[in-house]
Amino acid sequence: MEYYLVKWKGWPDSTNTWEPLQNLKCPLLLQQFFNDKHNYLSQVKKGKAITLKENHRALKPAVAEYIVKKAKQRIALQRWQDELNRRKTHKGMIFVENTVDLEGPPSDFYYINEYKPAPGISLVNEATFGCSCTDCFFEKCCPAEAGVLLAYNKNQQIKIPPGTPIYECNSRCQCGPDCPNRIVQKGTQYSLCIFRTSNGCGWGVKTLVKIKRMSFVMEYVGEVITSEEAERRGQLYDNKGITYLFDLDYESDEFTVDAARYGNVSHFVNHSCDPNLQVFNVFIDNLDTRLPRIALFSTRTINAGEELTFDYQMKGSGDVSSDSIDHSPAKKRARTVCKCGAVTCRGYLN
């Protein structure tokens, strides 16, 4: 007879018991157990002559160890998923999935919903004036006051070219929360999944629902630091092969957003030389042109299950930047190889 070692919820390992199959009333856990066992043996089979039909009196220690680690990982990822959803302030739900390896939640990442200023940096998040429109589509609204066009059409899709700033209605405006010029400030509306990629790119993000073209998907947030501090951190990140620095260079080059430790879902979005997301600079309550908010909009229809990507060298102007590559002999930066697989791949992230 087959027996299964059971860990009882809320009880220490010393109270674990061996149970026959008929005592187990947990079909989902059993299915996960058999799936984990099959996945492990499938991996082993690639390198060794072993059949999946092999019948042992007991599981080999390596198989048992893998199944236990996978179960603990599943619990850890579920707890992390719950924490992310407690912290987020937007409508869209966040899911976490790893069917690739035993990697658990990142140990040094803190979820935030808006910019976190570094010591010494002030973010003024209160507008000094707002519109008094009854219909922001047809009256002289915030964008017109800033000398630009209203960014959205009536389907909430962006209609301005990359490089044009977005001015949304703010807390001083008399229009209500249903105003068509309030899109980015409402946050992510789509359910997204942070998942482990199978191509060696670590974590990635995929959408669980269809996203229409030219739609707001998410905001890029992180710690706001000075450009000097960004240069120092950039050297460290390059040596580790990671890229989380986003220059706020809409008008000047004083500040950078660092999403390495503090960020939202965008922290996990991978680079592609042929991305499906485009960067736009956004101004809402903070009208300081040195500190735009960074919004990511879809460039085309994105189907459910498709990975979300943006070009790490793409600035709000819509141009590809080479500023991060310093060619001087004294400051030669380590270059990170790109794994996006696009036909137009440039070969490097920086």
Side-chain angles (χ1 to χ4, degrees):
M1 180 182 289
E2 285 187 332
Y3 285 86
Y4 297 81
L5 183 62
V6 177
K7 165 73 170 69
W8 295 96
K9 187 175 182 179
W11 293 83
D13 287 346
S14 59
T15 62
N16 290 358
T17 59
W18 288 94
E19 301 290 340
L21 184 60
Q22 62 264 30
N23 286 5
L24 303 183
K25 311 301 180 186
C26 47
L28 179 59
L29 284 175
L30 279 170
Q31 188 59 53
Q32 289 175 342
F33 172 86
F34 290 121
N35 288 344
D36 292 342
K37 176 184 175 183
H38 181 271
N39 290 339
Y40 180 81
L41 293 176
S42 296
Q43 294 170 18
V44 173
K45 186 180 179 183
K46 293 177 182 178
K48 298 179 181 179
I50 177 175
T51 66
L52 298 183
K53 295 181 179 178
E54 232 177 320
N55 188 22
H56 300 287
R57 290 178 61 84
L59 287 180
K60 286 187 174 180
V63 183
E65 182 183 6
Y66 173 84
I67 291 174
V68 171
K69 285 183 177 179
K70 197 65 183 175
K72 290 182 176 179
Q73 178 207 46
R74 194 175 287 114
I75 293 170
L77 291 179
Q78 181 63 52
R79 287 175 177 166
W80 184 43
Q81 176 179 298
D82 293 342
E83 179 189 354
L84 295 177
N85 283 291
R86 281 195 302 269
R87 291 182 176 275
K88 60 95 174 170
T89 56
H90 51 77
K91 177 182 176 182
M93 295 295 292
I94 304 172
F95 295 86
V96 179
E97 173 186 286
N98 186 352
T99 60
V100 174
D101 55 30
L102 291 170
E103 187 73 16
S107 58
D108 193 25
F109 173 74
Y110 306 92
Y111 196 93
I112 58 175
N113 294 286
E114 56 187 20
Y115 284 161
K116 174 183 173 64
I121 295 178
S122 175
L123 298 179
V124 180
N125 282 316
E126 185 176 353
T128 55
F129 60 89
C131 74
S132 55
C133 304
T134 55
D135 189 333
C136 294
F137 260 126
F138 300 106
E139 298 178 51
K140 190 176 183 181
C141 191
C142 301
E145 292 290 348
V148 298
L149 295 173
L150 191 143
Y152 311 114
N153 63 23
K154 291 195 175 183
N155 294 322
Q156 301 184 349
Q157 295 167 299
I158 196 162
K159 64 180 184 180
I160 57 175
T164 308
I166 298 171
Y167 279 83
E168 290 196 358
C169 292
N170 57 58
S171 57
R172 294 271 181 167
C173 295
Q174 295 183 23
C175 56
D178 294 329
C179 169
N181 194 34
R182 298 180 185 271
I183 302 296
V184 172
Q185 61 195 263
K186 291 182 178 179
T188 300
Q189 302 295 298
Y190 305 103
S191 290
L192 305 175
C193 179
I194 300 170
F195 75 105
R196 196 70 177 170
T197 64
S198 57
N199 61 354
C201 291
W203 294 103
V205 179
K206 61 183 176 182
T207 176
L208 299 180
V209 294
K210 183 178 180 180
I211 300 176
K212 294 181 180 179
R213 63 187 298 271
M214 304 304 177
S215 298
F216 170 66
V217 179
M218 70 180 76
E219 197 171 344
Y220 192 90
V221 301
E223 184 182 10
V224 178
I225 59 177
T226 63
S227 295
E228 291 77 15
E229 174 64 11
E231 178 63 28
R232 186 190 71 80
R233 295 187 188 185
Q235 299 282 349
L236 299 175
Y237 295 162
D238 287 346
N239 291 333
K240 294 179 180 179
I242 58 177
T243 308
Y244 292 109
L245 299 175
F246 198 111
D247 293 332
L248 298 179
D249 53 2
Y250 168 66
E251 188 171 85
S252 62
D253 196 14
E254 294 182 45
F255 302 107
T256 296
V257 176
D258 181 5
R261 293 187 69 204
Y262 300 95
N264 61 3
V265 177
S266 64
H267 166 97
F268 301 97
V269 175
N270 280 316
H271 161 87
S272 175
C273 297
D274 183 22
N276 52 24
L277 300 179
Q278 169 69 52
V279 173
F280 282 85
N281 293 295
V282 186
F283 299 95
I284 306 175
D285 279 311
N286 189 345
L287 301 178
D288 186 341
T289 54
R290 300 174 303 165
L291 293 162
R293 291 165 67 163
I294 303 301
L296 299 171
F297 285 78
S298 56
T299 60
R300 56 173 175 78
T301 299
I302 306 174
N303 294 317
E306 191 173 346
E307 183 175 2
L308 301 174
T309 59
F310 73 94
D311 190 335
Y312 286 3
Q313 294 188 35
M314 189 72 71
K315 300 192 175 186
S317 64
D319 298 325
V320 173
S321 161
S322 59
D323 293 354
S324 62
I325 305 171
D326 193 331
H327 296 285
S328 61
K331 290 186 177 182
K332 188 66 175 178
R333 296 275 289 268
R335 302 192 68 183
T336 304
V337 175
C338 180
K339 301 176 183 177
C340 76
V343 176
T344 55
C345 181
R346 295 188 296 270
Y348 295 93
L349 297 187
N350 54 0

